[in-house]
């Protein structure tokens, strides 16, 4: 069997009893619906429900995507963090347009958040870094994200030194660590059914708040 045939034979959603998106009863803001959905994913024991694909583009329009973790959702937007000097930070400095995509296959759900991302400021960035476990703080202090690496031993030595540093100074924050907020202009909720058509609900930001509408599957 070829790879194409194997891929086509895979089930899309093997779990019966998928939830239903009642578009007529949707809350007035996408933030409220998203929090409901991710809390259901957390309560359902899904693996890494906070994981999302962040898509960015540089000044030349070249698109980059990677998986990261969601830090929070507030009225300001969807929060994540990274080094401002790394690829994500450089892309966002040149082009703030970005998108976050969440996929929870066990629930047959996907959420796409599209908008612009900006730094939440020095205080929020420092607080985010200091809230990380020591191992994560050490990795952030090493930095050099996505730069060429000569060997794993080179990284192991740098990491060990960074771990000693952050352990000795719990108040030390990496200077380039940045908390970002993606302020959405559109948020799409996608729900697969057990049997029948998909449901797609789109929120669009307006001068007065949010408008909602359905999309063809």
């Amino acid at each position: 069997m070829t790879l194409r045939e194997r891929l086509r034979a895979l089930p899309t959603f093997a779990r019966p009893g998928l939830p239903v998106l009642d578009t007529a009863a949707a809350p007035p803001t996408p933030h409220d619906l998203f929090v409901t959905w991710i809390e259901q994913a957390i309560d359902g024991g899904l693996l890494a429900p906070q994981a999302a694909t962040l898509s960015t583009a540089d000044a030349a329009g070249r698109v980059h995507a990677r998986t990261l973790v969601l830090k929070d959702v507030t009225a300001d937007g969807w929060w994540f963090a990274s080094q401002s000097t790394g690829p994500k930070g450089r892309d966002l400095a040149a082009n703030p347009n970005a998108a976050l995509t969440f996929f929870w296959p066990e629930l047959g759900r996907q959420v796409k958040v599209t908008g612009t991302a900006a730094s939440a400021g020095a205080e929020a960035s420092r607080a985010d870094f200091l809230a990380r476990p020591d191992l994560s703080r050490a990795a952030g202090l090493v930095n050099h994200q996505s730069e060429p690496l000569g060997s794993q031993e080179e990284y192991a030595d740098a990491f060990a030194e960074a771990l000693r540093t952050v352990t000795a100074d719990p108040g030390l924050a990496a200077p380039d660590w940045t908390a970002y907020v993606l302020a959405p202009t559109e948020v799409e909720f996608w729900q697969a059914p057990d049997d029948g058509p998909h449901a797609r609900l789109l929120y669009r930001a307006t001068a007065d708040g949010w408008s909602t509408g359905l999309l063809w599957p």
Side-chain angles (χ1 to χ4, degrees), residues 19-36:
V20 176
L21 172 57
D22 184 355
T23 57
T29 77
H31 307 70
D32 291 333
L33 183 53
F34 181 87
V35 169
T36 296

Side-chain angles (χ1 to χ4, degrees), residues 81-86 89 119 125-126 129 140-145 173-180:
S82 182
Q83 300 281 3
S84 62
T85 53
S119 170
S125 299
R126 176 179 173 81
F129 188 84
L141 193 63
V142 171
N143 205 344
H144 299 299
Q145 190 179 64
D176 297 317
W177 189 257
T178 304
Y180 291 95

Side-chain angles (χ1 to χ4, degrees), residues 6 36 48 55 58 66-67 85 94 96-97 103 141 176 193 204 210:
R6 294 191 69 188
T36 296
S55 301
D58 61 21
R66 74 291 283 169
T67 301
T85 53
N97 294 291
F103 183 46
L141 193 63
D176 297 317
R204 283 196 177 98
W210 293 93

Side-chain angles (χ1 to χ4, degrees), residues 129 132-143 154-174:
F129 188 84
R132 293 161 62 87
D134 283 352
L135 293 177
S136 296
R137 291 174 59 226
L141 193 63
V142 171
N143 205 344
E154 181 183 353
Y155 178 71
D157 291 343
F159 182 84
E161 178 60 30
L163 184 58
R164 286 191 290 269
T165 301
V166 299
T167 302
D169 186 357
L172 178 65

Side-chain angles (χ1 to χ4, degrees), residues 199-216:
R200 295 176 64 190
L201 176 66
L202 179 67
Y203 286 80
R204 283 196 177 98
T206 69
D208 300 322
W210 293 93
S211 68
T212 58
L214 302 181
L215 298 175
W216 282 83

